[in-house]
Amino acid sequence: MGNLLFFIILIFEIAFAMYCIVSKKSHQKLRSGVRIAAFFVFVILILSSVIVWSFRWVLLAIFLFILAGIGTISLIRNNLNNREYKTSRIIGKGVFMTLMLVFTLIPILVFPQYKSPQVTGSYDVATATYTYTDKSRMEEFKDTGKNRFLNVKFWHPKNADESYPLLVFSHGANGIKESNTSTYMELASHGYVVCSIDHSYHSFYTVADNGSIALISSEYMKEFRDSNKEGIYTKAELYQLIQKWMKLRTDDMNFVINTIIEKSKNDKDPVYQQINQDKIGVFGHSMGGAASVWVGRERKDVRAVVNIDAPFFSELAYNQKRDDFEAKDEAYTIPLLNIYSDDVWKQLDTNSVYAANRLTNNYFKEAYTVHFQGAKHLSLTDLPLVSPLLANMLQGGKADIDSYYCIETENELILQFFDATLKGIGRFTSEGTYGPSPS
């Protein structure tokens, strides 16, 4: 819709400018009438839900409203044809309008209107957001003298009186807690309480209950970027970075899980009263997936783990003699589902960071593995739907797999896995490999 509007308005401005130049008239009356009409058409499109109102349309709405106001005033004053015609003025107006059009349409082009992935469950889904403060930890990223805070968001069955399994999600390195919203929606619609964490200063941005905003730490961003470059860190230094990142992430996840469990015992909030403390699963994307595997290793109350495109950092050891990473020799007994894109799949046998992930690792012989052919790292999140432009920029090009097919199939697999492991519904099976095109 954004691209279509852009071309319609752009073509009109060019055509109108050419018409004025050819006829050697300004046609102010016609221009004013068209701009008033454009505003009302925009309003009608919103009221009829052809355009779904959101932040992406605000700048365009303001721009069209201002133009309609100027046109209305000009018509009322009846001074439309008093100004002398000048070709330079017509061209200048055309250029100005084009620049303003591009500016107002940036949010629409970057975040186009899209159809949400299919939700197949019978429950309506409600959401709730909270800020938790960990009084046992001081914030390490900012010298504020305050305790670490974490913003969390829940997706849960609406107006339901039963208890449901708790699923806790951890986002990727520069992600946000809403990164896999379609997954949370699908799970909640089938009777799960899903909590997603914003890891403060690891998250691109997060907003607390009091309105305060925490942006991603520049120090952490530099560490993460440099870790993916050759020659910046030694293997020993990288191993220490991994330990630091994972300690923060796992401490966050443990704190959130413990807080939710405690609140489910004595807090009358409907969200907490829906939680079955005996059925807990964790999952995450990228660095969040690595943290989830780690938490699954540490906690006795976690009964299932989904790792989305991440290395098993908890299962790695640094061999000083070889100056390289190697897999630990300890069995992983928690049910585990691994979901991989091409970006990670091609590194399983070549990058020692993924030494523990290799399919030959007998200590993970009970784990399930799924590979999405044609998928890139961010294909396993909602970003290619929310902003194809940003996804393509961040992951170095467009994925070969269809975005809807990828995320909806991934959501279906995650649901089936948690159904089997936490609810005892059926037995999890998969085709192993999916894509790049729907079968």
Side-chain angles (χ1 to χ4, degrees):
M1 177 61 72
N3 291 336
L4 179 61
L5 283 176
F6 175 79
F7 285 114
I8 289 175
I9 299 173
L10 182 61
I11 289 171
F12 170 77
E13 288 297 331
I14 294 173
F16 188 81
M18 292 178 65
Y19 175 55
C20 291
I21 292 171
V22 171
S23 63
K24 297 190 180 302
K25 293 182 179 179
S26 297
H27 297 291
Q28 283 293 105
K29 185 175 182 179
L30 176 61
R31 184 192 297 269
S32 297
V34 168
R35 289 176 176 171
I36 294 171
F39 175 72
F40 281 103
V41 168
F42 180 74
V43 172
I44 291 170
L45 290 175
I46 291 175
L47 295 177
S48 61
S49 297
V50 174
I51 291 177
V52 179
W53 178 254
S54 66
F55 73 94
R56 60 177 61 87
W57 299 102
V58 171
L59 288 180
L60 180 61
I62 293 172
F63 184 51
L64 292 177
F65 176 76
I66 291 173
L67 291 180
I70 294 173
T72 301
I73 293 172
S74 296
L75 288 174
I76 292 173
R77 289 181 175 179
N78 199 30
N79 61 351
L80 300 172
N81 297 307
N82 296 333
R83 182 176 291 181
E84 179 184 359
Y85 167 82
K86 287 185 178 180
T87 300
S88 59
R89 182 184 296 124
I90 297 298
I91 295 175
K93 281 186 177 181
V95 172
F96 173 77
M97 289 296 295
T98 300
L99 292 175
M100 288 300 298
L101 172 65
V102 171
F103 174 74
T104 58
L105 286 177
I106 285 176
I108 304 168
L109 299 176
V110 175
F111 300 99
Q113 184 173 303
Y114 68 98
K115 181 181 70 173
S116 297
Q118 185 179 10
V119 174
T120 64
S122 59
Y123 291 102
D124 291 332
V125 178
T127 61
T129 56
Y130 305 95
T131 298
Y132 296 158
T133 301
D134 187 350
K135 295 182 179 179
S136 68
R137 290 188 293 163
M138 301 302 292
E139 185 56 69
E140 64 183 67
F141 285 102
K142 297 290 182 180
D143 187 20
T144 60
K146 296 182 179 179
N147 295 108
R148 181 158 174 80
F149 74 95
L150 295 167
N151 299 316
V152 300
K153 186 171 182 177
F154 287 85
W155 286 256
H156 63 100
K158 186 177 182 180
N159 300 325
D161 298 326
E162 302 174 45
S163 63
Y164 308 96
L166 170 67
L167 303 176
V168 177
F169 183 87
S170 176
H171 61 72
N174 305 315
I176 56 175
K177 61 181 179 291
E178 290 86 359
S179 67
N180 285 64
T181 295
S182 69
T183 313
Y184 319 146
M185 289 288 294
E186 176 68 352
L187 291 166
S189 77
H190 282 271
Y192 290 90
V193 177
V194 183
C195 173
S196 185
I197 307 169
D198 260 340
H199 296 278
S200 304
Y201 305 105
H202 270 208
S203 174
F204 185 69
Y205 74 94
T206 183
V207 183
D209 282 348
N210 62 9
S212 62
I213 299 174
L215 300 178
I216 191 168
S217 162
S218 58
E219 175 190 349
Y220 163 69
M221 282 187 69
K222 185 177 186 306
E223 288 176 351
F224 180 73
R225 284 197 305 264
D226 288 348
S227 70
N228 291 301
K229 299 176 183 177
E230 292 288 338
I232 303 295
Y233 294 116
T234 65
K235 291 289 178 68
E237 289 170 337
L238 181 57
Y239 186 71
Q240 292 305 313
L241 274 181
I242 289 171
Q243 302 307 303
K244 182 174 78 169
W245 295 336
M246 287 296 101
K247 177 169 174 39
L248 178 85
R249 290 292 187 113
T250 57
D251 282 353
D252 285 352
M253 294 183 73
N254 283 318
F255 167 68
V256 168
I257 293 172
N258 291 338
T259 299
I260 294 171
I261 290 174
E262 186 61 32
K263 286 181 176 293
S264 69
K265 295 176 182 177
N266 51 39
D267 195 312
K268 299 304 181 183
D269 189 312
V271 175
Y272 301 122
Q273 292 306 302
Q274 289 184 340
I275 293 170
N276 185 335
Q277 305 167 27
D278 298 323
K279 296 182 178 181
I280 300 175
V282 293
F283 64 133
H285 174 255
S286 193
M287 193 176 290
S292 296
V293 173
W294 198 309
V295 168
R297 164 71 77 187
E298 289 182 337
R299 295 186 69 103
K300 301 300 182 184
D301 54 359
V302 170
R303 294 176 53 185
V305 178
V306 176
N307 164 44
I308 306 173
D309 235 25
F312 298 162
F313 284 150
S314 60
E315 314 306 309
L316 284 181
Y318 172 66
N319 188 315
Q320 189 172 5
K321 290 183 178 179
R322 294 176 52 240
D323 187 30
D324 208 352
F325 303 118
E326 60 186 20
K328 294 179 180 178
D329 55 354
E330 185 179 354
Y332 196 89
T333 58
I334 303 298
L336 172 66
L337 169 62
N338 295 305
I339 301 175
Y340 295 123
S341 70
D342 281 352
D343 288 344
V344 169
W345 187 260
K346 66 186 180 183
Q347 298 185 71
L348 292 185
D349 293 323
T350 60
N351 189 339
S352 62
V353 169
Y354 293 94
N357 295 65
R358 290 169 185 163
L359 304 185
T360 55
N361 186 348
N362 288 327
Y363 295 104
F364 282 84
K365 60 184 178 181
E366 300 299 325
Y368 300 97
T369 298
V370 170
H371 171 213
F372 281 92
Q373 285 186 337
K376 287 184 172 292
H377 189 52
L378 295 174
S379 301
L380 304 177
T381 71
D382 288 348
L383 188 59
L385 305 179
V386 176
S387 179
L389 179 63
L390 281 181
N392 294 343
M393 288 173 57
L394 292 172
Q395 65 190 5
K398 188 176 185 298
D400 293 330
I401 198 168
D402 178 79
S403 297
Y404 282 95
Y405 165 71
C406 183
I407 197 68
E408 288 179 348
T409 304
E410 178 189 9
N411 293 347
E412 179 184 354
L413 290 168
I414 292 173
L415 172 64
Q416 290 177 0
F417 175 75
F418 282 132
D419 275 351
T421 54
L422 297 181
K423 292 185 176 181
I425 300 175
R427 180 174 176 273
F428 178 77
T429 59
S430 78
E431 296 176 14
T433 301
Y434 296 84
S437 300
S439 55

